[in-house]
Amino acid sequence: MDGSAATATERPPAGAGVARVRRSLAAVDLAALTDRERLELVTELERLKGAACALQARAVEEVRASQTRDGSQGARRGLRSQDARRSLGSQVALARRESPVLGDRFVGLSHVLVHEMPATMRALEQGLVGERHVLEVVRETATLSREHRAVVDERVAPLLPRLGWRSAGRAAQRVAAELDAAGVVRRMERAVASRRVTVRPAPDGMAYLTVLGPLRDVVGAQAALQVHARAVAGGRCADEAADGRAAGAVAADTALRLLSGRARGTVTPVEVQLVMTDRALLGTGDPLRSPMEPGRVPGHGPVPAPVGRAWVRAAGAGAVWVRRLYTAPGGRDLVAMDSRRRGFSGLLRRLLVLRDDVCSTPWCDAAIVHADHTHPVRAGGPTSLANGAGRCARCNQVKEAPGWRVHVVRGSPLELELVDPTGRRHRSQAPPLLGWGSDPPPGTSALESHLAALLDAA
C-alpha cells in the first residue's frame, strides 16, 4: 500500500474535530464566570456561528463543484443541470436540517461568497457578521454583473460589522441602485409576476394571511382598510358597529370578509379539516382520554379542545359535517386503507393528508401537494395508504432524480428512509393523528380491540 492510500485510510472524519469542539461547549462552567465573562462568551459564540457558516459555504461549494463537473455521477447519468441543482439543494437542506427551498438558497449563497464576494466572505470567516447579514447583501446584488457585485463587496463589506442585517441589505441595495439602475428596475418589473397570497400558522390558534403584491397596491389597500377601521372603531360608520373591537381587529375582520366573499355574520363557505377525538368534541368515547385533548388542523398545527368545540358551535347546524376516523390500537395512527386506483384521490387522498400533515421529507414542512407512491407504480407499488406519502411538488420531483431512494421502514407509525446521492440516510415519521406532542393513553378500548381483530382477520 502506498503512502497516499494509507493516509486516506487513516485520516479521521472531517467533522470529528468540529464534533469535539461542539461537545466541549456543554462542559463550560458558567457558574465560575463573571457576568462580563459570560457576555464575552456569548460574543465569541456568535463569532463562532459566523465562522461555521463560512466553513459550511466552502464545503457546499466543493460539493457543488464535485457533483457538476464532467466526471461526476450526475453527468455520467445525463442528469440535466436544473435537476442536478435541485438534487444538490435537497441534499444540502437535509444536511442543514431545513427546507429544500432554503437549501437551494444556501447553495447559491455559497457560490457567490466563495467566488464573487471575497471581502464579505472574510468578514463571515472572522465572525464579524452572521449568515443573515451576508444573505441580505447577496440578495440585494442578485441582478448585478460579477464586476458590479465586486464593487458592492468592496464598498459594503467594511461597513458590515457595525450594521444590523436590515441596514446591511439596504446599504447593498443603495450601491446596487447606483451601479445598475436599469437592472434594479428590471428586477422590480419581474417581481410583479411573483405576486401571491400565502398563509402560515401563528401562536394561539391564529394565522397570518400574507398578500405579496406591488408596493403601491398593497400600501393603498392597507391605507383604505385603516381608514375604514378607524371610522368603525370611532363610531363614525353608520352601517357597522365596533362592538368593542379595536381598529386593528376591525381591519382584519373587514379584509377576511371581503376576501371570502361573504356578508357579515355568515359562515365561511369552505372546508376546514379539524381532527378531534370523540371525547374532546362530544364528551363520549374512551373515558381514559382527556376531554381537553387538543385537536389538529392538518398543515397548521394544534387547536385547543375548547376552541375546536367553539368553532363547531359557531358554525351552526347544517354547516358542520362529522366524519369518523378509525385508528389502530393505541390511537396513534389511522387504519390502513387500500384502493385499486393508480392515483390517490377521494377519501384515500384525504386520509393520506390527514396522516402526514405536511411534506414527509425530513425538515421540509411544506404543504402537501402530491400524493406519492413510495414504491413506484411502475415497479409494482400499490396505491395504498401504507405505500403513500404526502410530498410537496419539489420533493416529489427530487425523489425521482438519479441517486435518490425512498423506502418504507415501518408501517405503523409510518416511517420512511430517504437516501441521498451521497449515501446519507435520513428518516421521517408520520405524526400522531392529533399532532406531535399528543400522547395516547396506554391500553386499548373495546372498539379498538374489535377493529384490530377485524383487521387481523382480513
Side-chain angles (χ1 to χ4, degrees), residues 67-101:
Q67 294 193 4
T68 56
R69 65 171 60 102
D70 291 341
S72 66
Q73 184 184 50
R76 291 196 300 271
R77 294 185 180 184
L79 189 62
R80 295 182 305 170
S81 59
Q82 180 181 358
D83 295 334
R85 288 193 300 269
R86 186 184 292 123
S87 177
L88 174 61
S90 291
Q91 293 175 64
V92 172
L94 290 168
R96 281 170 49 96
R97 301 189 177 190
E98 60 189 14
S99 72
V101 172

Side-chain angles (χ1 to χ4, degrees), residues 77 79 83-84 87 396-405 421:
R77 294 185 180 184
L79 189 62
D83 295 334
S87 177
N396 192 31
Q397 294 167 354
V398 167
K399 184 179 74 73
E400 300 300 322
W404 290 87
R405 303 190 305 278

